[in-house]
Amino acid sequence: MTTAVASEPLIRDVRVTESEIVAYLADGRVISVPLSWSWRLSEATPAQRAKFRLIGAGQGIHWPEVDEDISVEGMLHGSPAPRAPVPRQRANLAKRRRPKARKATNPPMQRTASGR
C-alpha cells in the first residue's frame, strides 16, 4: 500500500518579466500569474521588481521596495491583489474643490402689465 503525503507547495525561485510573475516550485511545477495581478509590481520599475526575497521558507515572495507580498497559495488559487480603496478624506477633498454654482445677488426683475 502506498500513502501519499500531502506537502504544501513551496517556491524555490522566482522570475518577474514585463508581463508575468513566474514561480518555480520545489516539487517541479512552474506557475505564473499576470503582472497586472499586483498593481504595486506593475507600477514598479524593473529594478524594484528584481529585488525580492522568499518568505516563510518559500510560502511567499516579498518585494521590500514596493511593500508587496504574494503567496504561493494566492498564485495557485487565482487571488489578485486588491487595490487599496481611496481614503474618504481624499474623496471628500476632491468633492470640495469643485466650483459651486453661485446664486445671483440681484433678484430678476419682474415685469408688470405696464411693462415696468
Side-chain angles (χ1 to χ4, degrees):
M1 183 168 135
T2 305
T3 305
V5 177
S7 63
E8 66 180 282
L10 298 174
I11 300 170
R12 178 177 42 87
D13 196 14
V14 177
R15 184 171 53 98
V16 183
T17 70
E18 288 295 318
S19 61
E20 62 186 0
I21 304 164
V22 183
Y24 300 88
L25 304 186
D27 63 10
R29 289 181 288 172
V30 179
I31 56 175
S32 65
V33 296
L35 186 63
S36 61
W37 275 22
S38 167
W39 62 271
R40 287 184 179 103
L41 287 176
S42 59
E43 293 177 358
T45 66
Q48 290 172 317
R49 291 182 202 142
K51 294 179 184 172
F52 63 86
R53 64 183 175 90
L54 298 179
I55 55 174
Q59 294 174 334
I61 315 154
H62 175 68
W63 285 266
E65 290 190 16
V66 292
D67 192 27
E68 179 70 309
D69 297 310
I70 296 178
S71 71
V72 66
E73 290 295 328
M75 292 178 78
L76 286 169
H77 292 106
S79 303
R83 200 174 258 282
V86 176
R88 248 186 188 173
Q89 184 178 9
R90 287 175 106 188
N92 289 339
L93 184 60
K95 287 180 186 176
R96 278 189 257 145
R97 288 187 181 161
R98 288 188 212 152
K100 294 182 180 181
R102 294 184 171 211
K103 293 182 180 179
T105 54
N106 296 330
M109 292 179 55
Q110 291 185 349
R111 301 206 178 244
T112 60
S114 66
R116 290 188 171 188

